[in-house]
Amino acid sequence: QGAEAGNYRRSGRPVPRNAPLRSPRAALAAFGWDEGISTSQARRFFDLAAASPVRQRLNLNTAPPAVLGAVLGIDALDLLQEFAAPFSAPYKEKADPARASRDIQKLPAIRSGATDMDMSLERSAHAGRLRFSTFRRGESIPLHVALPLLENMGLKVVTEREYLLKLRDAAIWIQDFELEAPTATPNPDVVSERFKECFRRTLRGEAENDAFNSFVLRADLDWREAALLRAFCKYVLQSRIPFSQSYIQEVLGRFPAFCTSLIEKFKARF
């Protein structure tokens, strides 16, 4: 794959592609992250690579970049040569190398049009918060669209940052939303997939944008099950009970276990 030839340049300084990675900092220099990077950040990047199934056969302090690329499951240097340079200074200030390596792997599919959007949900650097990131080609998500959608999922948007990547044939926007939950912070490892699917479906108009989407986090439902709970509510409202939909949502939100049991009963019967 051409991983043993050629140089990478950054600020006019060539970095041989087959140069040994004598230290985390030296390795990251080849990836364009050598300015102002701390030893702890460099070690996080290496820890990411060390999580590979082939870690027992790899000495990360002496492995050439081609081997590191194989460990990450990608031609890492080719990707980073293409995508790392357009990252802005504000992005590099906020993102450590481990995050950058994950973000970069999302970009080829977006640029090619294989997907219209990708997302990630991770723990924030701030205790008790989540960081939700979206990756879109062409334009970012308008705040008047994104904020109500996230708030209806039961989260408070603390900050929002945008980073524009200007590639040769596309512009890709990365948006970071710093989020707070009203009670215990959800574990992103557990809720990430169903959270992202609900966000995607609601953004496309395939799911309604109301507070029933908060049950994706509150009651461990997916977007379809939240829609079923919404349908239950609208059915009950046809009986002309003296309660509003927002009141019913609020009451159900106090009893997430009941909501989960209601969905399970429906599945068992139908």
Side-chain angles (χ1 to χ4, degrees), residues 19-27 60-63:
L21 309 185
R22 297 183 179 88
S23 69
R25 293 175 67 88
L60 290 175
N61 290 326
T62 60

Side-chain angles (χ1 to χ4, degrees), residues 88-251:
S88 63
Y91 177 89
K92 289 187 177 183
E93 181 181 344
K94 293 291 182 182
D96 61 31
R99 178 196 167 174
S101 68
R102 294 192 297 272
D103 288 355
I104 284 172
Q105 294 178 61
K106 299 179 184 296
L107 303 181
I110 298 172
R111 187 185 65 175
S112 68
T115 182
D116 61 337
M117 181 175 70
D118 206 339
M119 296 165 281
S120 66
L121 182 68
E122 301 178 350
R123 291 179 178 85
S124 168
H126 298 89
R129 293 181 181 177
L130 299 172
R131 187 189 72 247
F132 177 56
S133 300
T134 62
F135 305 78
R136 294 187 82 196
R137 177 172 175 158
E139 61 181 3
S140 60
I141 304 172
L143 286 181
H144 73 271
V145 174
L147 265 60
L149 198 157
L150 290 168
E151 289 169 355
N152 277 333
M153 295 186 74
L155 298 166
K156 176 184 177 181
V157 180
V158 180
T159 62
E160 183 265 355
R161 294 184 179 89
E162 297 183 1
Y163 309 101
L164 173 61
L165 278 67
K166 294 182 178 179
L167 307 177
R168 290 190 303 271
D169 55 354
I172 296 178
W173 286 89
I174 300 177
Q175 279 179 281
D176 282 352
F177 299 92
E178 193 89 1
L179 305 174
E180 282 184 351
T183 54
T185 304
N187 182 349
D189 296 333
V190 175
V191 305
S192 177
E193 291 306 314
R194 64 173 180 266
F195 178 90
K196 292 187 294 184
E197 185 66 13
C198 183
F199 184 91
R200 185 193 303 274
R201 297 280 183 171
T202 308
L203 185 65
R204 291 176 175 175
E206 298 171 6
E208 293 187 41
N209 185 13
D210 61 26
F212 277 106
N213 289 338
S214 67
F215 291 92
V216 169
L217 299 180
R218 286 181 175 182
D220 299 329
L221 306 183
D222 62 28
W223 74 277
R224 292 182 183 276
E225 292 166 340
L228 181 58
L229 200 62
R230 181 184 297 113
F232 287 158
C233 174
K234 291 186 175 182
Y235 177 78
V236 171
L237 288 173
Q238 294 180 26
S239 67
R240 298 188 179 183
I241 61 173
F243 304 113
S244 66
Q245 177 172 319
S246 60
Y247 178 78
I248 295 175
Q249 291 169 349
E250 179 186 348
V251 172

Side-chain angles (χ1 to χ4, degrees), residues 22-37:
R22 297 183 179 88
S23 69
R25 293 175 67 88
L28 288 164
F31 287 79
W33 292 88
D34 52 330
E35 294 183 2
I37 194 166

